[in-house]
DNA sequence: GGCGCTCGAATTGCATGCAGTTTGAGCCAC
DNA sequence: GTGGCTCAAACTGCATGCAATTCGAGCGCC
């Protein structure tokens, strides 16, 4: 067994806030909610049958995870990470997941290996379905790995950063490319089972790196969704006190 | 300049919630609030001149950062990480900070190097003061480094995990040992300035590793604060539905 | 004296209400 | 038409109120 005692749950349990968080998180990573989508407190509250207070609290949590952007007196929106932030997220993710597989190599039980294999099989079966589901399953594979370290902190960070990466994929990725990724998952499982630490760390590194470079196509100027997003940072500058009035264009 | 554009602020700005978060965070890492200290919503609200709603929201944010433990219907307390969690936090921190210095090596401006040096000087001057302040300054040195990457995500993760480590130091550390750490900080600055990537990554690794192993003395059984804490996990098990009544000792 | 029980005080979970800000649709002048 | 202005609706920021739960001091029993 690759274990220590569990006890998990950082702040996630069964209260209404957590339920809403989970629902929104999933909606976001499945792209049911695209980056930039508005998330008014009332609507959320109504949709989930709770008061604004609760919806608001949930948005706060998701903002802390970087999935939602919260600006004072403004409606909350699904986060729209910049290209650079996306690249940063992947860099961090690579380090964290190398740590995961380093801890896991050669320490997995047969049951755990079976669980991983089953998950990848599920990914395989979902290949015909929507891209969104494929992406979600691929992400969940990595989170499943993190869980097996039994380190709640590691689980939290890997989950967060993986969700963020997932979000950026929906922004900057083209058609999609999960076919090969599935085989890479299988290779990682094999190397983990074999206990080859260096090999599995290398595999994980190149796996994530290739996903990143394949998806985050280029530092080429024009890849933002639309002018609105492109102009957003300038608007932000303006809200930072000084600067006259003059934005007469750039409404909507 | 080692930069890209900033824009930062994940969810931290100037609303009352953030103010309370910052205050509590600082109080926690300076050990004004020890692990296990109670944080009732009313008291916080009263103390900061806000309503319970706001205090509650702030506690939610801090819980997301792992500095506060939130259990349903129970009073919030400053987090009391287990020894294993502390070790995990340090492992993650090592990887993240290696990434920081890797990005920074040879790319710092003279002004930035001066800023870092000034900070370490401040650490030096604070050596006679309380341990709490020394620890805080040492932690802030690392966060300052992270800021210089201009990667908001990296800043956030390094900050969080550094605060967590800070928290565990107050739990498991003995007298204190920052004297040598200060010199290690200077060495890191020098290596960064010189642009020696491998050297600085090695320095950071051994720096953090030595802090961790010096502080987190041993996996020896008895280091929890008191019986209450030791019994806490068992109580948790019990609250997980089954298990009869029987805990008759272990009140307070 | 120690142990368990009971009940009031303390505290949380959540909804609602009010004030201030932002949004954007319509209107007017050009 | 085009650009700017106005104002009501939409929305957020925050406090307060009420029900449900937990805490803990005191009381009775062994």
């Amino acid at each position: 067994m690759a274990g220590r005692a569990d006890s998990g749950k950082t702040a996630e349990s069964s209260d209404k806030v957590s339920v809403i968080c989970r629902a929104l998180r999933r909606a976001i990573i499945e792209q049911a909610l695209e980056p930039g989508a508005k998330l008014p407190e009332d609507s959320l509250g109504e949709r989930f049958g709770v008061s604004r207070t609760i919806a608001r609290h949930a948005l706060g949590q998701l903002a802390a995870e970087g999935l939602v952007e919260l600006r004072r007196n403004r409606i909350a929106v699904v986060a729209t990470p910049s290209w650079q932030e996306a690249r940063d997220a992947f860099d961090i993710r690579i380090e964290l997941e190398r740590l995961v597989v380093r801890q896991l190599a050669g320490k997995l039980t047969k049951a755990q290996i079976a669980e991983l294999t089953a998950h990848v099989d599920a990914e395989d079966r979902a290949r015909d379905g929507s891209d969104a589901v494929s992406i979600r399953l691929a992400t969940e594979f990595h989170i499943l790995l993190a869980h097996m370290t039994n380190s709640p902190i590691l689980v939290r960070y890997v989950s967060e950063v993986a969700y963020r990466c997932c979000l950026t994929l929906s922004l900057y990725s083209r058609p999609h490319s999960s076919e090969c990724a599935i085989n890479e998952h299988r290779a990682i499982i094999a190397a983990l089972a074999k206990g080859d630490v260096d090999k599995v760390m290398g595999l994980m590194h190149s796996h994530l790196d290739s996903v990143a470079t394949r998806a985050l196509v280029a530092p080429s100027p024009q890849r933002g969704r639309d002018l609105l997003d492109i102009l957003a940072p300038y608007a932000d500058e303006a809200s930072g006190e000084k600067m006259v009035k003059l934005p007469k264009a750039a409404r909507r």
Side-chain angles (χ1 to χ4, degrees), chain A:
Chain A
M1 225 170 291
R4 17 196 206 256
D6 196 317
S7 106
K9 76 175 68 169
T10 309
E12 208 84 330
S13 55
S14 63
D15 55 288
K16 309 198 183 183
V17 173
S18 315
V19 172
I20 298 179
C21 279
R22 270 193 292 272
L24 286 181
R25 210 154 21 218
R26 181 158 170 178
I28 291 173
I29 69 174
E30 284 198 356
Q31 303 183 43
L33 290 170
E34 298 187 355
K38 293 181 185 176
L39 302 168
E41 296 173 0
D42 315 306
S43 321
L44 290 178
E46 194 180 357
R47 194 74 195 72
F48 288 99
V50 299
S51 80
R52 250 180 2 101
T53 309
I54 304 307
R56 179 184 186 73
H57 202 92
L59 287 173
Q61 297 293 305
L62 293 173
E65 295 174 24
L67 291 182
V68 159
E69 277 166 23
L70 233 41
R71 269 140 68 226
R72 189 178 172 87
N73 278 324
R74 279 206 175 61
I75 213 168
V77 296
V78 175
T80 309
S82 68
W83 189 88
Q84 184 59 55
E85 284 171 340
R87 186 62 239 188
D88 288 340
F90 266 105
D91 284 342
I92 294 172
R93 182 172 178 182
I94 287 172
E95 299 305 325
L96 290 179
E97 298 221 33
R98 275 165 57 95
L99 184 53
V100 168
V101 292
R102 194 173 81 199
Q103 291 190 7
L104 250 35
K107 302 215 178 106
L108 291 177
T109 62
K110 283 215 181 303
Q112 288 176 315
I113 292 174
E115 194 179 353
L116 290 169
T117 306
H119 188 99
V120 179
D121 289 344
E123 289 185 61
D124 241 333
R125 282 194 301 278
R127 243 184 353 193
D128 317 316
S130 72
D131 271 8
V133 174
S134 303
I135 295 185
R136 178 170 64 79
L137 284 174
T139 302
E140 282 174 356
F141 172 79
H142 291 262
I143 294 176
L144 183 56
L145 273 179
H147 267 288
M148 291 180 177
T149 63
N150 269 321
S151 163
I153 310 185
L154 198 44
V155 171
R156 220 180 65 89
Y157 287 142
V158 169
S159 305
E160 267 189 34
V161 83
Y163 287 142
R164 272 172 110 119
C165 288
C166 208
L167 179 60
T168 66
L169 288 187
S170 71
L171 261 180
Y172 300 101
S173 166
R174 22 166 99 278
H176 191 34
S177 41
S178 68
E179 321 79 37
C180 358
I182 295 180
N183 286 335
E184 293 173 14
H185 284 183
R186 291 199 194 279
I188 287 170
I189 297 176
L192 279 174
K194 210 173 133 203
D196 188 338
V197 178
D198 292 332
K199 171 111 179 262
V200 75
M201 285 178 72
L203 280 175
M204 181 59 87
H205 190 125
S206 57
H207 169 51
L208 289 174
D209 200 54
S210 77
V211 171
T213 54
R214 241 179 313 171
L216 276 47
V217 276
S220 88
Q222 237 52 331
R223 282 295 291 183
R225 297 190 68 70
D226 58 22
L227 26 163
L228 199 156
D229 290 337
I230 295 175
L231 292 179
Y234 298 89
D236 270 356
E237 285 300 336
S239 79
E241 269 81 67
K242 64 202 156 197
M243 194 165 182
V244 284
K245 256 188 78 178
L246 73 84
K248 56 174 62 173
R251 273 290 169 77
R252 197 174 77 89

